[in-house]
Amino acid sequence: EAAVTQSPRNKVTVTGGNVTLSCRQTNSHNYMYWYRQDTGHGLRLIHYSYGAGNLQIGDVPDGYKATRTTQEDFFLLLELASPSQTSLYFCASSDGLGQGLAPLFGEGTRLSVL
Amino acid sequence: QQKVQQSPESLSVPEGGMASFNCTSSDRNFQYFWWYRQHSGEGPKALMSIFSDGDKKEGRFTAHLNKASLHVSLHIRDSQPSDSALYFCAASETGANTGKLTFGHGTILRVHP
């Protein structure tokens, strides 16, 4: 069964802390995405990738790095976390949008930066 | 400027009623549209896509796209309490192989008994 698994599910850190959010997909999809969800803003794209070693800038990339180490694994890095990065983060994967195949989302990671 | 705009912000319909959502893109490069639904505590799940002008029906759900005005709508007939959720419209560029999907702010639906 197609799956996108995120870890951890919840994370609390302090301002200036170092955080890594992990995402693994078992769908053999080429594309992987990181979004953040905030009330009043919907889902906003941070970074995405179309394969191992590739990284594309999204719409709200400031303060975030990402790395795609394998076809399956995509990481989001916050090296100096700030309270403005408190949010619900979603990872997704897709096989490209041209065939009408919608990205499949994980269950999310709730991050609090104190 | 928000490239994908949704209305209304929230909606309340009686059980068995019709729920209708609207979405407009301000970017003419956005020609492919998706509707997603998110229940509380879960990730968004895709409901349907629409790429061509006209209607597309899947069970109780009907989407309508007008490419000239870049307006897409979603209608849920015979709404059930389990349909209560946050509904997102999302759009991607023509050609669609960029893989980049842009979301609207969402519409909260409450279906009351």
Side-chain angles (χ1 to χ4, degrees):
Chain A
E1 182 179 316
V4 176
T5 304
Q6 294 183 233
S7 63
R9 294 295 310 277
N10 293 280
K11 177 72 177 178
V12 180
T13 190
V14 295
T15 300
N18 204 322
V19 176
T20 298
L21 306 185
S22 302
C23 178
R24 167 164 283 200
Q25 56 104 354
T26 57
N27 314 312
S28 301
H29 286 167
N30 291 319
Y31 287 91
M32 294 186 75
Y33 311 81
W34 279 107
Y35 286 87
R36 61 178 289 174
Q37 183 176 16
D38 304 286
T39 303
H41 291 281
L43 288 156
R44 292 181 290 175
L45 182 63
I46 304 170
H47 291 298
Y48 65 109
S49 164
Y50 60 75
N54 176 266
L55 182 66
Q56 301 293 314
I57 305 298
D59 297 318
V60 289
D62 293 346
Y64 301 96
K65 292 184 179 180
T67 181
R68 180 92 175 266
T69 55
T70 65
Q71 178 83 348
E72 294 78 20
D73 298 303
F74 195 31
F75 300 93
L76 186 67
L77 294 78
L78 292 73
E79 294 183 332
L80 286 171
S82 74
S84 65
Q85 294 176 308
T86 293
S87 187
L88 181 56
Y89 291 86
F90 286 101
C91 177
S93 73
S94 84
D95 215 8
L97 305 177
Q99 293 75 41
L101 300 173
L104 181 67
F105 280 77
E107 294 301 298
T109 295
R110 187 167 294 281
L111 174 66
S112 296
V113 183
L114 304 178
Chain B
Q1 182 189 3
Q2 181 73 10
K3 289 189 174 183
V4 177
Q5 296 166 310
Q6 291 186 242
S7 65
E9 289 188 7
S10 64
L11 182 61
S12 181
V13 301
E15 184 173 355
M18 176 77 81
S20 295
F21 309 85
N22 295 296
C23 175
T24 302
S25 172
S26 60
D27 188 335
R28 293 217 70 85
N29 291 318
F30 286 169
Q31 294 272 309
Y32 294 174
F33 294 88
W34 281 260
W35 285 100
Y36 274 78
R37 176 165 79 179
Q38 183 182 26
H39 286 106
S40 182
E42 298 180 4
K45 291 181 172 63
L47 288 173
M48 60 194 303
S49 62
I50 185 164
F51 294 178
S52 302
D53 273 316
D55 291 338
K56 182 177 181 180
K57 185 177 178 182
E58 293 186 1
R60 295 186 296 113
F61 299 85
T62 300
H64 176 83
L65 174 60
N66 181 325
K67 281 197 170 186
S69 60
L70 291 179
H71 179 262
V72 60
S73 59
L74 176 70
H75 307 276
I76 307 174
R77 64 171 175 82
D78 189 24
S79 297
Q80 301 299 308
S82 58
D83 292 324
S84 296
L86 179 58
Y87 288 76
F88 287 108
C89 172
S92 72
E93 294 183 357
T94 308
N97 284 326
T98 63
K100 183 178 175 183
L101 195 60
T102 300
F103 284 77
H105 287 174
T107 296
I108 298 170
L109 171 66
R110 176 177 166 262
V111 180
H112 54 87

